Amino acid sequence: MTQAQEIMTIAICVAGTMATRFLPFIIFREGRPVPAYVRYLGKALPSAIFAMLVVYCLKDVRFAAPPHGLPEFIAIAVTVLLHLWRRSMMLSIFCGTACYMALVQFVF
């Protein structure tokens, strides 16, 4: 890659990053109502993304072979219970991940 191509690549990346940061503030100015579909996406997308992450994490688990996905299900149970108890996404994800890593490294 030539130096000119590197500069153009960096400039395009900067422009794309800035557009994604500033465009919502330009489109949805203060005082104007937020469209209903944007409010719907704000409510639906976090759960959908979380569900996709769970499916992605479980796609390679072999349930027919030992330990039959037990560490994954224990970690998911810890994550769900912590989230229901404390309602903190950060705490539940962190503790679920730590639980899974401890189970995989020391138990199974």
Side-chain angles (χ1 to χ4, degrees):
M1 187 180 281
T2 65
Q3 188 174 14
Q5 290 172 328
E6 290 175 352
I7 291 171
M8 287 177 57
T9 301
I10 292 171
I12 290 170
C13 289
V14 167
T17 301
M18 292 294 116
T20 58
R21 299 292 190 269
F22 296 131
L23 203 55
F25 293 103
I26 294 170
I27 293 173
F28 306 113
R29 294 179 187 237
E30 190 173 337
R32 294 175 58 185
V34 177
Y37 69 93
V38 174
R39 281 186 271 135
Y40 170 74
L41 289 175
K43 290 179 183 175
L45 280 181
S47 301
I49 291 170
F50 201 68
M52 284 178 27
L53 284 173
V54 169
V55 170
Y56 179 77
C57 289
L58 294 177
K59 71 177 177 58
D60 292 330
V61 174
R62 292 180 296 158
F63 296 104
H68 305 289
L70 202 54
E72 289 83 3
F73 283 116
I74 292 171
I76 288 172
V78 166
T79 304
V80 169
L81 291 175
L82 270 175
H83 187 70
L84 291 175
W85 178 43
R86 303 298 292 178
R87 297 281 179 200
S88 170
M89 184 78 79
M90 185 68 86
L91 176 69
S92 57
I93 290 174
F94 177 78
C95 290
T97 303
C99 175
Y100 174 74
M101 293 307 293
L103 288 172
V104 170
Q105 295 295 323
F106 303 116
V107 178
F108 294 100

